[in-house]
Amino acid sequence: MTNPRIAHPAYAAKVMDADAAASLIGPGDTVGMSGFTGAGYPKAVPQALARHIEAAHAAGDPFAIRVWTGASTGPELDGALARAKGVDFRLPYNSDPYAREQINAGTMQYIDMHLSQVAPMAWQGFLGPLDVALVEVSAILPDGTVVPSSSVGNNKTWLDLASRVILEVNSWQSPALDGMHDIYYGTALPPDRVPIPLLRPSDRIGQPGFRIDPAKVVAVVATDTPDRNAPFKAPDAAAHAIAAHLMEFLAHEVKLGRLPRSLLPIQSGVGNIANAVLHGLQDSAFEPMTAYTEVLQDGMLELLTSGKMAMASATAFSLSPDAAHQLNTDMARYRDRIVLRPQEISNHPEVIRRLGCLAMNGMIEADLYGNVNSTHLMGSRIQNGIGGSGDFARNAYISMFMAPSTAKGGKISTIVPQVSHVDHIDQDVQVIVTDQGLADLRGLPPKARAEVVIANCVHPAYRDQLADYYARALRDSYGKQTPTLLREALSWHERFVETGSMLNS
Amino acid sequence: MTNPRIAHPAYAAKVMDADAAASLIGPGDTVGMSGFTGAGYPKAVPQALARHIEAAHAAGDPFAIRVWTGASTGPELDGALARAKGVDFRLPYNSDPYAREQINAGTMQYIDMHLSQVAPMAWQGFLGPLDVALVEVSAILPDGTVVPSSSVGNNKTWLDLASRVILEVNSWQSPALDGMHDIYYGTALPPDRVPIPLLRPSDRIGQPGFRIDPAKVVAVVATDTPDRNAPFKAPDAAAHAIAAHLMEFLAHEVKLGRLPRSLLPIQSGVGNIANAVLHGLQDSAFEPMTAYTEVLQDGMLELLTSGKMAMASATAFSLSPDAAHQLNTDMARYRDRIVLRPQEISNHPEVIRRLGCLAMNGMIEADLYGNVNSTHLMGSRIQNGIGGSGDFARNAYISMFMAPSTAKGGKISTIVPQVSHVDHIDQDVQVIVTDQGLADLRGLPPKARAEVVIANCVHPAYRDQLADYYARALRDSYGKQTPTLLREALSWHERFVETGSMLNS
């Protein structure tokens, strides 16, 4: 019985079940896996591998692997392997709760990387050798072309660099994905790098499929399993307030002639605030918009459906189950208006600066001077990772960060005297938005930034406390360029850890 | 009596003395000045302006201007105007001690910017309007071509954006500068940006001179005054030790095949450590080297002289008086091997990543996890600014930071539990070097980074103190991804401010 998705004999000859394929991965192997958010990650082999690892542990044998991915994946990959205690090293981004727990317990080593830099650093040899590429694809065509899946991520690099290749061919993925990808094979190591020839988000500069050396393929596994993204969480009042502030700001920039009416290519993170912002754009006067971003989420799909957005470039889908189902059954309608690229291109600083992206990312906290923490709770406990926010923030036309003004029911203030971990330095943060308001920090020196942040962004419950800190810092700081009280700079975080609240008692 | 350096009648008709030219600048004006390190800054008009400002203040009238430059300048500009209390706003970089004092007293507003981003942000309108461009040039040719001076900086942008233009034509500058510059006029605002067509440090992509609208020129002032760079400070033992560690590292990378024998284009900061490193390269087996950097300093001139370096691209010279004199009398010999570009090109992230620069920058301090502070003493007092270090560090092939392991006679440790201000996040720092040794952080997660930094970089007087902090952080931290004791993270800086030493008593 042949699988029509595995239409080339060299690959058909390698078909086996997930268990057999997983047995080709051994202790200590470094495995480059597909997956970017809950899209396009391998679903069968990692679970089989997790069972092998559990069996080995039960027999008293050590068994752990090193895992490289595109970004986050799904529970069948990160969740299954983490629960089996089968991963001792992970990069470059994680959002799985089991893996997160082990990372923050110190038992899983984790490197949090700029997503644009993973592939180049792998090629440069700085990350060590790659043993196995384990990649989900949507089809292998009769001529041997391998059609990518619902994310591209670092797959091109894993397939090129790995000694052995295992493919999962997922029949759940729409056959209409064929032709939607743009796999650029023009990257190189210096001194042979050339300009990335991409001038518009819609430009296609590569080829639709992967080229793979069939001799490296050791297993092909057929699957038929949906991508598993988190269900859509409806935007709350804070998310709507943030979106409204942003819409007002963008409209103002258009009115002043600093942005065209179609805006500039949009980059947007994931989550309910991002979706609220995209909803806001749906109701705006801006058109026809474009996106040059990492992931295509529900709100962006709606913009494409309505026609407000002409096209979107990303490296992955990141859709709710409902939206994924809708897209999957109607893919042909969108194929000419969506391009999926390798993440080294979707996040390439060169392209982001050239296009002049409008970067809109979430944050954990920001400080008086506009430094932003995107990754670490209380300075030490990592939430997910920096992802592509650094690629976009430093190179964007306008770099915007947003979050509700408080978290944990008001026990945490998003605006603090000094962020407990810095991911984005003040130079890379032009706009901060909370439900309270928007701070436009462009052209402002540090003390003027602090005044705007206090006036516009901090929650009223924390405003006096922050203003008091700042007034005393202005008076007592060692230097007055960036007034700081060293003894108190991190005291709000200390108080939270010790008492459960950042509020002064 | 005609000045042969002012050979075009439209400009000759505007010749006046510095006093008359300075009277064309009024209170509240924003003035875009030339100057990048102690090279190519206007020398006569700022001093005349300072006298006007002092006279106004003596008469009880307020008089201050806003100053934009390339980077730092010389005492005749920043020093004279700061001493006159004539600057209330300054960007993007400063090293003048009088200006620094006012900045840190909170009386001069100062924005510390990525040097690549100044021109784009000015064009984007984010910095406000520019009233006057005050630019030193080396000649105005009979056909109206304006030959730049010993630095290019943001001059092209100031000349294009300003309402009024004042030129200082400095006969001290070598006539052989003509032909050495490459002024690229291909930049644009998005959506009209195109790739920067630069593939090698030696590529010329623009024209040798500025194009200026003569109708905007309100004054031309003749000068004959040397650039005033700081005298060369001979490298000390710590600088030599740092250079030796770096040479060993680079040789190792070449041996492993991760770098070619000619290395990759070098970016190097200024100062005695940078010069020690460049001396080390002089004695190395690496050749023929190239540089793609901000400034050309004494050590790099020596590499060009000896032939170890084939060519260097920069935006300015930054030479000791002796080296400047040597170069000035022998300029023709170097003209084909030096290119001076606008700083938006010398520091362009797109070009830096494409070329794969080896970035070597100084730092104030680094922490256990490899975050680097390049700007602020004790978190609040700015020293100079971030300059181009962010442009290079994030996009370099290998990003290296270096400093002696202690400062202030051992009272300050360069390696601290947590930096008091972050300019370079751990993702952008691959190598840390002190006189004690080198930490290669590539491919290491945070805790492994901390172990290498403690073992290799910290001064022995602080090693136990740091190891003790880290051991307790490993045990007691809120999260164990990036172990941190919030109460102690900045305590070394507190102790220095309070007792004059970071050492535990």
Side-chain angles (χ1 to χ4, degrees):
Chain A
M1 214 175 65
T2 61
N3 183 326
R5 294 285 187 107
I6 308 172
H8 186 277
Y11 294 86
K14 304 281 175 57
V15 170
M16 61 185 77
D17 66 20
D19 212 54
S23 69
L24 302 171
I25 300 172
D29 274 348
T30 298
V31 185
M33 307 229 196
S34 63
F36 197 108
T37 70
Y41 58 94
K43 298 165 179 74
V45 177
Q47 293 188 93
L49 178 61
R51 290 190 295 272
H52 294 192
I53 289 169
E54 283 165 348
H57 292 174
D61 298 325
F63 193 160
I65 62 168
R66 297 163 64 89
V67 175
W68 304 353
T69 63
S72 55
T73 70
E76 300 97 329
L77 195 168
D78 274 309
L81 288 172
R83 274 183 289 182
K85 298 192 171 30
V87 178
D88 59 16
F89 181 97
R90 177 80 171 78
L91 63 79
Y93 185 90
N94 169 71
S95 68
D96 179 81
Y98 297 96
R100 183 189 296 132
E101 190 183 319
Q102 292 174 24
I103 289 167
N104 286 309
T107 57
M108 187 189 294
Q109 298 286 309
Y110 175 53
I111 306 188
D112 174 26
M113 293 178 71
H114 294 302
L115 295 185
S116 75
Q117 294 187 345
V118 181
M121 287 208 181
W123 281 106
Q124 288 165 203
F126 298 172
L127 304 176
L130 183 65
D131 300 301
V132 181
L134 171 52
V135 172
E136 179 181 285
V137 300
S138 62
I140 300 164
L141 304 184
D143 67 357
T145 299
V146 177
V147 182
S149 179
S150 51
S151 68
V152 179
N154 289 313
N155 296 352
K156 182 207 74 167
T157 295
W158 301 165
L159 292 166
D160 277 355
L161 279 179
S163 313
R164 322 194 282 283
V165 170
I166 300 174
L167 299 177
E168 287 196 7
V169 182
N170 187 350
S171 304
W172 176 83
Q173 300 288 359
S174 169
L177 278 169
D178 183 17
M180 192 180 263
H181 308 89
D182 184 54
I183 312 300
Y184 178 64
Y185 277 94
T187 57
L189 289 177
D192 299 318
R193 285 186 183 147
V194 295
I196 311 293
L198 198 158
L199 301 179
R200 297 280 177 275
S202 55
D203 285 353
R204 289 179 174 274
I205 60 175
Q207 56 188 62
F210 296 121
R211 57 182 192 208
I212 300 180
D213 174 4
K216 291 205 303 188
V217 178
V218 296
V220 175
V221 177
T223 67
D224 186 17
T225 311
D227 280 335
R228 184 120 62 115
N229 283 292
F232 181 74
K233 194 179 149 200
D236 58 10
H240 284 301
I242 289 167
H245 297 311
L246 259 178
M247 292 308 115
E248 188 187 340
F249 170 76
L250 293 173
H252 181 71
E253 291 297 300
V254 170
K255 196 172 160 193
L256 291 186
R258 288 197 291 230
L259 281 177
R261 185 161 168 265
S262 57
L263 301 181
L264 286 166
I266 288 163
Q267 178 259 328
S268 170
V270 295
N272 69 329
I273 295 177
N275 272 309
V277 170
L278 295 168
H279 278 300
L281 291 172
Q282 181 72 58
D283 300 330
S284 75
F286 314 128
E287 61 185 342
M289 289 180 277
T290 59
Y292 195 82
T293 189
E294 276 176 18
V295 293
L296 201 150
Q297 63 285 77
D298 286 38
M300 208 168 269
L301 190 63
E302 286 164 25
L303 288 169
L304 287 167
T305 304
S306 73
K308 292 285 287 187
M309 180 168 278
M311 72 79 52
S313 165
T315 192
F317 295 112
S318 185
L319 299 167
S320 68
D322 287 353
H325 179 75
Q326 181 215 324
L327 178 68
N328 225 14
T329 53
D330 209 11
M331 189 71 83
R333 182 178 163 197
Y334 296 94
R335 194 171 50 188
D336 295 339
R337 299 200 288 136
I338 295 175
V339 182
L340 296 183
R341 310 177 188 278
Q343 71 192 64
E344 66 189 305
I345 302 299
S346 69
N347 285 35
H348 203 298
E350 169 179 335
V351 179
I352 294 165
R353 194 171 286 213
R354 182 181 304 143
L355 297 178
C357 290
L358 298 177
M360 300 185 286
N361 288 291
M363 62 179 175
I364 289 175
E365 60 184 4
D367 66 26
L368 285 170
Y369 304 111
N371 300 286
V372 163
N373 173 8
S374 298
T375 57
H376 282 69
L377 299 174
M378 308 303 139
S380 58
R381 188 177 171 79
I382 198 159
Q383 182 65 14
N384 297 335
I386 194 167
S389 58
D391 298 321
F392 282 93
R394 182 160 293 178
N395 296 292
Y397 195 76
I398 305 177
S399 165
M400 298 168 263
F401 284 91
M402 51 200 183
S405 57
T406 62
K408 295 259 178 199
K411 301 296 175 59
I412 290 177
S413 174
T414 300
I415 310 295
V416 292
Q418 182 163 326
V419 288
S420 59
H421 181 94
V422 177
D423 293 290
H424 306 290
I425 63 174
D426 59 85
Q427 284 88 344
D428 300 339
V429 180
Q430 276 105 44
V431 171
I432 287 177
V433 199
T434 70
D435 49 303
Q436 302 298 315
L438 181 145
D440 179 1
L441 306 176
R442 293 173 297 170
L444 298 184
K447 291 184 286 294
R449 291 179 146 230
E451 286 164 20
V452 179
V453 168
I454 293 173
N456 294 7
C457 296
V458 67
H459 189 278
Y462 288 94
R463 188 168 291 142
D464 289 350
Q465 185 173 325
L466 192 64
D468 171 64
Y469 169 86
Y470 180 61
R472 288 182 295 108
L474 270 177
R475 191 188 65 201
D476 299 333
S477 178
Y478 182 71
K480 302 285 165 65
Q481 166 67 2
T482 308
T484 300
L485 299 176
L486 290 163
R487 191 177 294 277
E488 287 187 43
L490 302 175
S491 65
W492 294 29
H493 304 86
E494 276 178 58
R495 191 179 306 124
F496 176 80
V497 170
E498 286 164 15
T499 73
S501 172
M502 285 186 175
L503 272 173
N504 266 335
S505 51
Chain B
M1 214 173 64
T2 62
N3 183 327
R5 294 284 187 106
I6 308 172
H8 186 275
Y11 293 86
K14 303 283 175 56
V15 170
M16 62 185 75
D17 65 20
D19 211 53
S23 68
L24 302 171
I25 300 173
D29 274 349
T30 297
V31 185
M33 307 227 196
S34 62
F36 198 108
T37 71
Y41 57 94
K43 296 164 180 78
V45 176
Q47 293 189 91
L49 178 61
R51 290 190 296 272
H52 294 190
I53 289 169
E54 282 165 348
H57 291 174
D61 297 326
F63 193 160
I65 63 168
R66 296 163 63 89
V67 174
W68 304 353
T69 63
S72 56
T73 70
E76 300 97 329
L77 196 169
D78 274 308
L81 288 171
R83 275 183 287 182
K85 298 192 170 32
V87 178
D88 60 14
F89 180 97
R90 178 79 172 79
L91 65 76
Y93 184 90
N94 170 71
S95 68
D96 179 81
Y98 297 95
R100 183 189 295 133
E101 189 183 319
Q102 293 174 25
I103 289 166
N104 285 309
T107 57
M108 187 189 293
Q109 298 285 309
Y110 175 55
I111 306 187
D112 173 26
M113 295 177 70
H114 293 302
L115 295 185
S116 77
Q117 294 188 346
V118 181
M121 287 210 179
W123 280 107
Q124 287 164 202
F126 298 172
L127 304 176
L130 182 65
D131 300 301
V132 181
L134 171 51
V135 172
E136 179 181 285
V137 300
S138 61
I140 300 164
L141 304 184
D143 67 358
T145 299
V146 177
V147 182
S149 179
S150 50
S151 69
V152 179
N154 289 312
N155 296 350
K156 183 207 74 168
T157 296
W158 300 165
L159 292 166
D160 277 356
L161 279 178
S163 312
R164 321 193 285 282
V165 169
I166 300 173
L167 299 177
E168 287 196 8
V169 182
N170 187 351
S171 304
W172 176 83
Q173 299 290 357
S174 169
L177 278 168
D178 184 16
M180 192 179 265
H181 308 89
D182 185 55
I183 312 301
Y184 179 65
Y185 276 94
T187 57
L189 289 177
D192 298 319
R193 285 187 183 147
V194 295
I196 310 294
L198 197 157
L199 301 180
R200 296 282 177 276
S202 55
D203 285 354
R204 289 178 174 275
I205 60 174
Q207 55 189 63
F210 296 121
R211 57 182 192 209
I212 301 181
D213 175 4
K216 291 205 303 188
V217 178
V218 296
V220 176
V221 176
T223 66
D224 186 18
T225 310
D227 280 335
R228 185 119 63 112
N229 282 293
F232 181 74
K233 194 179 150 200
D236 58 9
H240 284 301
I242 289 168
H245 297 312
L246 260 177
M247 292 309 115
E248 188 186 340
F249 170 75
L250 293 172
H252 182 69
E253 291 297 301
V254 170
K255 195 173 163 194
L256 291 186
R258 289 197 291 230
L259 281 177
R261 183 159 169 267
S262 57
L263 302 181
L264 286 165
I266 287 163
Q267 179 259 329
S268 169
V270 294
N272 67 328
I273 295 176
N275 273 309
V277 170
L278 295 168
H279 278 300
L281 291 173
Q282 180 72 58
D283 299 330
S284 74
F286 314 129
E287 61 185 343
M289 289 180 276
T290 59
Y292 195 83
T293 189
E294 278 175 19
V295 294
L296 200 150
Q297 62 284 76
D298 287 38
M300 208 168 270
L301 190 63
E302 286 163 25
L303 289 169
L304 287 168
T305 305
S306 74
K308 293 285 288 186
M309 180 168 278
M311 71 81 50
S313 165
T315 192
F317 295 111
S318 185
L319 298 168
S320 69
D322 286 353
H325 180 74
Q326 180 215 325
L327 177 68
N328 225 14
T329 52
D330 209 12
M331 189 71 82
R333 182 179 162 198
Y334 296 94
R335 195 171 50 188
D336 295 339
R337 298 199 290 138
I338 296 174
V339 183
L340 296 183
R341 311 177 187 278
Q343 72 191 64
E344 67 188 306
I345 302 300
S346 68
N347 285 35
H348 203 300
E350 169 180 335
V351 179
I352 294 165
R353 194 170 287 213
R354 181 181 306 143
L355 297 179
C357 290
L358 298 178
M360 300 184 285
N361 287 292
M363 63 178 175
I364 289 175
E365 59 183 5
D367 66 26
L368 285 170
Y369 303 111
N371 300 285
V372 163
N373 173 8
S374 299
T375 57
H376 283 70
L377 299 174
M378 308 303 139
S380 59
R381 187 176 173 81
I382 198 160
Q383 183 64 13
N384 297 334
I386 193 167
S389 57
D391 298 320
F392 282 92
R394 183 160 294 178
N395 297 292
Y397 196 77
I398 306 177
S399 165
M400 298 167 264
F401 284 91
M402 50 200 185
S405 57
T406 62
K408 295 260 180 198
K411 301 295 176 59
I412 290 177
S413 174
T414 300
I415 309 296
V416 293
Q418 182 163 325
V419 290
S420 58
H421 180 94
V422 177
D423 293 289
H424 306 290
I425 63 174
D426 59 85
Q427 285 88 345
D428 301 339
V429 179
Q430 276 106 42
V431 171
I432 288 177
V433 199
T434 70
D435 49 303
Q436 302 299 316
L438 182 146
D440 178 0
L441 306 176
R442 291 173 299 170
L444 298 185
K447 291 184 285 294
R449 290 179 146 231
E451 286 163 22
V452 179
V453 167
I454 293 173
N456 294 7
C457 296
V458 68
H459 189 279
Y462 287 95
R463 188 168 291 141
D464 288 350
Q465 186 174 324
L466 192 64
D468 172 64
Y469 169 87
Y470 180 61
R472 287 181 297 109
L474 270 177
R475 189 187 67 200
D476 299 333
S477 179
Y478 182 71
K480 304 284 164 64
Q481 165 68 2
T482 309
T484 301
L485 299 176
L486 291 162
R487 192 177 291 277
E488 288 187 44
L490 302 175
S491 64
W492 293 28
H493 304 86
E494 277 179 59
R495 191 178 307 123
F496 176 80
V497 170
E498 287 166 14
T499 71
S501 173
M502 284 187 175
L503 272 173
N504 267 335
S505 51

